[in-house]
Every structure is written in C-alpha cells, then in structure tokens.
Amino acid sequence: MSDLGSNKWYKKLPHPIVMLFAIIVLTAILSHIIPAGAFEREIVDGRPRVIPNSYKTIEQTPLSFLDTFLAIPGGFSSAIAIIFVVLSSGIMFGVLEKSGMIENAVGTFIKKLGLERRYLVVVIMTYVFGMLGVFVGYENNIALIPIAAITSLALGGDLMLAAAISVGGVTVGFGLSPFNPYTVGTGHTIAEMPMFSGWLIRSILCFSALTFLAYCNIRYFKKIIKTPEKSLSLGIDTSGFQLSKPIQEYRMTINNWLILLIFVGGMAFMLFGVFTYKWYINEISATFIMISIAAGIASRMSGRTISETALKAVSVVAPGAFMVGFATSIKVAMEMGSISDTIAFYLAEGLSGLPVYASAVAMSGAQSVINFFIPSGSGQALATLPIMIPVGDVLGLTRQTTILAYQIGDGVTNLLNPTLGGLIAMLAMCRIPFDRWLRFIIPVVGVILAIAWTVLLVTVLINWGPA
C-alpha cells in the first residue's frame, strides 16, 4: 500500500539554504529584467525618508555572475550585528543552563502548576510572548526563546510547539502591535497623525490573531501527544533543553535565585537602555555578554568553564547565525541591482483605479510582497508609505486605513519571511529549520491574514479616522 503522506507538498521543499540561494539567483536575474530606479530621500529625525513623487529610473546595475556570489559575504557583513546577537544570546543561555537555574526554574514552575494544566500553560505562554512582542520589541526577545523550548519539552511537547509559542507569539505581537514604534509610529509620523491613534481597533486585531495562534498551538500539542510520530521536529537534537529528573524533585536553590535575579536585572537594564537611550542590537549583545559573565561568576564557574561553555553554546547556535547572514544576502543583492525602489513604485502604481475595498486589501498584499525585499519595518515604512499614503488619499482610503494595510502586509508575513534576520535567528534558538517551520506556519498565516483583512474592510466601511 502506497504512503499517501509522501505526496504532501512540504515533503518536496528543498533545504532552507537551497531555497535562499535560489532567491538570490532569482534576484540577480531580475536585476537584468527590472529597470533600476530610486526615490530621492531626505533626512528626517536622523533617518532617510522617501520624497513623494520623486521616483526616477537610473543607470542599470545588473548583477554579474561574480556579483551574485559577492552578495553572500556582503549579506554577512551587513547582518553582523544580528549574527552576533544570536551568538551572544546563545552564550548567555549556555551559561544560564550550565548553572542549573533555568532547568530548576522551569521544573519548579511546572511542579507548582501541575502537568494537568499543561494546555493552560501553552495558552498563557503564547499570550506572554505575544505581549513581549507588543511592548518589548522583536530582536530584544531572542534570548528568551530557549525558555519556551525547555518548558515545551517538560510539558510533553516538542521544539516546534516551542517555536509556535515563542517565535509565533513574539512575531504576531510585534507585527500587529498597536504601539509598534517602528511601523505604526513611523507611519503616523509620515502621515502627520496623532501617534498610536486607532489603538483600540489595532488591539482587537492583535488579540484576535494571538487567540487564533494559541488555538493552533493547543491543537498541534494535542495531535503530537496522541500521535508522537506526527511531530514536526522529529530527529532534531534536544540536548540542553530537556529536564534531567522527575518534576517532583525540582526546587530553586538560593544560588538559583541569585542567578535569576542577575538575569532579570540584566534584561531590565537592557530594556531601560532600549526605551531611554534608544539602544539597539550591539548594546543588547553587550548586555547578554555581561549577564553571561556575571551569572558564571555567581555560579562559581572557573574562567575555563565559562570559556568552554561559551564555545559549546556558539557551536549550537552557529548554524542559525549562518542562516541570518545568508538570508540578508538577498537584501544586499536587491540593493546591488537597484531594483527595490522599482518594485515598490510599480506595486503602488498598480493600485490606482481599483475599487476602494479591493484597493485596501490589494495595498496590504502589495506590502506583503515588498516585505520580502525590504524586511525592516521602519525601512519599509520610510520607503513605501510616502508613496502609499497619497495613493490611498486618491482612492478614498483614510490614512489610518492605509497605515493599517501597511502594518498587516508587513507584520503578518514576517511569520514566513526568509529575509527577516530576526525570524531566522529566533528559529535557530529553537533549532527549527525554516522548511519545517513553513509546514506549521503557512496555514496559520492564511487564517490570520483573513482575520486581518476582515478588520481592514471594516475600517473602510466605517471610514476609520482620523483621516
């Protein structure tokens, strides 16, 4: 009898490195076909901003055979800050795991709550990681991802469930956050609107998406408990994530509490710097290293032990760090071919003449496409909203609706964007290959987009303001 499951679409997915390299090659080919173009930009509040109606074609810069491969080291050079935050967060987790604090904390937490409430734990953690995305940011949460991995395995789940809880939660929360300074904040600044206005409808959308994600997580959890061979993370190494003794034997020692205090205090220090002094990736990495050293000393590790632990941790997260640089090569290839602005311009121009309801959804779809070429939220806002806002005005969309369409297109597709370094980095912390992640997340993205577009159509219906 034939194996019907062998014909499933995801069985035919190539390796993630092959997928990314194919996109780089496609970008090189497109640089020979698509006209090179650029918008004029001006510096506003220290950041380059597109000047409306300033697009013009420029001299073609198609990628040669050598250029196609030069884009790869260029991607690693461009992504060095994110690559190092992956390495530094891996080192910090390695030291915290070596100290025994994380295992004892997770084991004690589950012992107190009870395994019979494990579905509730999954729901709560999905919302918690979602709120971290809403209020804390994106890359700031990379170091917390392994906690979900340990908790998921302790509950009887797998690493895919851990990724769904943490990576999925953070990405949905950040992407649809009503208070996202990079997307909504930048959009409202460009549109000259009250900052974070319309937060109530955005909050309803974000909560609805997180609720659906929590439902999917529970459904997947029940499936793998009933049929373990249906796990999407079979064969992935779980060493360092598994509890080493029965739940009832766990308790927190005084030293564990001290190291937990160092970790929480370090994270609070990092967030203070992020929100007060506008710290970014390098400062976050430096904080992770400081936490690693302090936790190692507090747990009475020798210098040799800390060093060996750090190198072992680097070896674990190195594949993920490599994928971050490789994915960024696509963005570099786009820049070398000078076709990013051209794609944004023609997608925006294609919206003119559409009916108002169709134009809102099409605008969101266009932003979804652009997101694969300009994965930075603020970068995409600065490149496209000066174009999209006037287009929306002509089509009869309020500026609030135009910005929501942009936020949906950018935020939801972040869940499966191979060029988004933060996504690849967080999946790496869960050791989940990108092709396996796609098997889980593509249906989720489809439904969340349907929810989001329904909300978008409602905003058109009510003429959501301020205009």
Side-chain angles (χ1 to χ4, degrees):
M1 187 173 178
S2 62
D3 182 10
L4 297 176
S6 62
N7 294 321
K8 291 184 177 180
W9 64 270
Y10 56 74
K11 299 286 187 181
K12 302 175 183 178
L13 283 175
H15 190 278
I17 290 180
V18 176
M19 293 169 62
L20 292 174
F21 183 70
I23 297 174
I24 295 171
V25 172
L26 175 62
T27 301
I29 294 172
L30 289 176
S31 71
H32 290 263
I33 301 171
I34 297 176
F39 291 102
E40 293 180 16
R41 288 169 167 81
E42 59 184 350
I43 302 299
V44 178
D45 296 327
R47 294 186 295 180
R49 173 175 165 179
V50 168
I51 299 174
N53 302 316
S54 65
Y55 174 82
K56 60 182 179 182
T57 57
I58 61 175
E59 183 180 353
Q60 199 83 356
T61 57
L63 273 68
S64 66
F65 182 78
L66 177 60
D67 289 335
T68 303
F69 288 89
L70 284 174
I72 297 174
F76 279 80
S77 177
S78 178
I80 190 63
I82 297 180
I83 291 172
F84 190 76
V85 82
V86 173
L87 298 178
S88 61
S89 61
I91 290 170
M92 180 179 71
F93 174 76
V95 173
L96 294 175
E97 187 269 334
K98 180 73 173 178
S99 73
M101 182 277 290
I102 292 181
E103 181 178 351
N104 284 336
V106 171
T108 302
F109 169 71
I110 295 176
K111 181 176 74 172
K112 296 287 185 183
L113 201 60
L115 279 174
E116 63 274 10
R117 296 189 180 93
R118 57 187 174 182
Y119 297 130
L120 176 62
V121 174
V122 169
V123 172
I124 291 173
M125 289 188 67
T126 301
Y127 282 119
V128 167
F129 276 97
M131 290 304 100
L132 288 171
V134 169
F135 294 106
V136 174
Y138 200 59
E139 287 87 355
N140 305 352
N141 292 299
I142 289 176
L144 301 178
I145 303 301
I147 295 175
I150 294 177
T151 305
S152 175
L153 293 179
L155 292 172
D158 63 3
L159 292 180
M160 183 59 75
L161 178 63
I165 291 169
S166 55
V167 182
V170 167
T171 306
V172 169
F174 179 78
L176 297 178
S177 169
F179 312 108
N180 190 320
Y182 305 102
T183 55
V184 179
T186 302
H188 282 159
T189 300
I190 293 171
E192 299 178 339
M193 296 171 60
M195 187 63 65
F196 302 133
S197 55
W199 63 269
L200 180 58
I201 287 181
R202 286 189 169 85
S203 297
I204 293 171
L205 172 57
C206 185
F207 178 77
S208 300
L210 284 172
T211 299
F212 177 71
L213 177 64
Y215 162 76
C216 292
N217 292 346
I218 292 297
R219 186 179 64 176
Y220 175 76
F221 192 13
K222 289 181 177 179
K223 181 175 74 173
I224 62 174
I225 287 177
K226 182 180 179 180
T227 315
E229 58 268 23
K230 291 187 176 180
S231 167
L232 292 175
S233 58
L234 287 177
I236 297 177
D237 180 25
T238 60
S239 59
F241 287 154
Q242 293 179 315
L243 300 184
S244 60
K245 54 189 177 183
I247 289 292
Q248 296 306 317
E249 296 182 15
Y250 281 96
R251 66 180 183 87
M252 289 286 283
T253 67
I254 294 176
N255 187 255
N256 290 157
W257 283 110
L258 173 61
I259 295 171
L260 178 60
L261 181 63
I262 290 171
F263 173 67
V264 173
M267 297 300 289
F269 172 71
M270 178 198 74
L271 293 176
F272 175 77
V274 167
F275 291 115
T276 305
Y277 299 108
K278 307 300 181 184
W279 286 0
Y280 194 46
I281 299 295
N282 285 340
E283 290 85 358
I284 292 172
S285 296
T287 304
F288 290 167
I289 295 298
M290 288 189 285
I291 293 173
S292 303
I293 295 172
I297 293 172
S299 61
R300 301 183 183 88
M301 295 183 195
S302 65
R304 175 175 291 277
T305 301
I306 294 175
S307 301
E308 291 175 348
T309 302
L311 290 177
K312 181 180 178 181
V314 165
S315 70
V316 171
V317 299
F322 174 85
M323 291 299 293
V324 170
F326 204 63
T328 308
S329 304
I330 299 170
K331 173 177 173 288
V332 171
M334 293 285 296
E335 293 171 348
M336 291 171 67
S338 302
I339 58 176
S340 298
D341 284 359
T342 301
I343 292 171
F345 174 74
Y346 281 107
L347 282 174
E349 286 291 300
L351 297 173
S352 59
L354 289 176
V356 64
Y357 287 98
S359 66
V361 175
M363 184 177 289
S364 179
Q367 293 288 4
S368 296
V369 174
I370 294 170
N371 190 39
F372 286 89
F373 301 104
I374 311 175
S376 164
S378 58
Q380 187 182 157
L382 291 165
T384 63
L385 284 181
I387 311 162
M388 292 294 192
I389 288 172
V391 170
D393 292 343
V394 171
L395 294 170
L397 298 174
T398 66
R399 294 192 169 192
Q400 198 74 273
T401 295
T402 296
I403 293 170
L404 180 62
Y406 150 71
Q407 184 184 15
I408 292 169
D410 169 76
V412 178
T413 51
N414 280 341
L415 286 164
L416 43 69
N417 188 353
T419 65
L420 183 63
L423 173 67
I424 303 300
M426 286 193 279
L427 289 175
M429 297 303 290
C430 277
R431 304 176 191 172
I432 294 294
F434 186 70
D435 56 333
R436 296 203 194 189
W437 172 248
L438 288 180
R439 301 181 203 176
F440 176 87
I441 207 63
I442 284 179
V444 179
V445 169
V447 175
I448 292 179
L449 275 177
I451 294 170
W453 285 340
T454 300
V455 173
L456 185 64
L457 292 175
V458 170
T459 67
V460 177
L461 177 66
I462 65 176
N463 201 36
W464 186 36

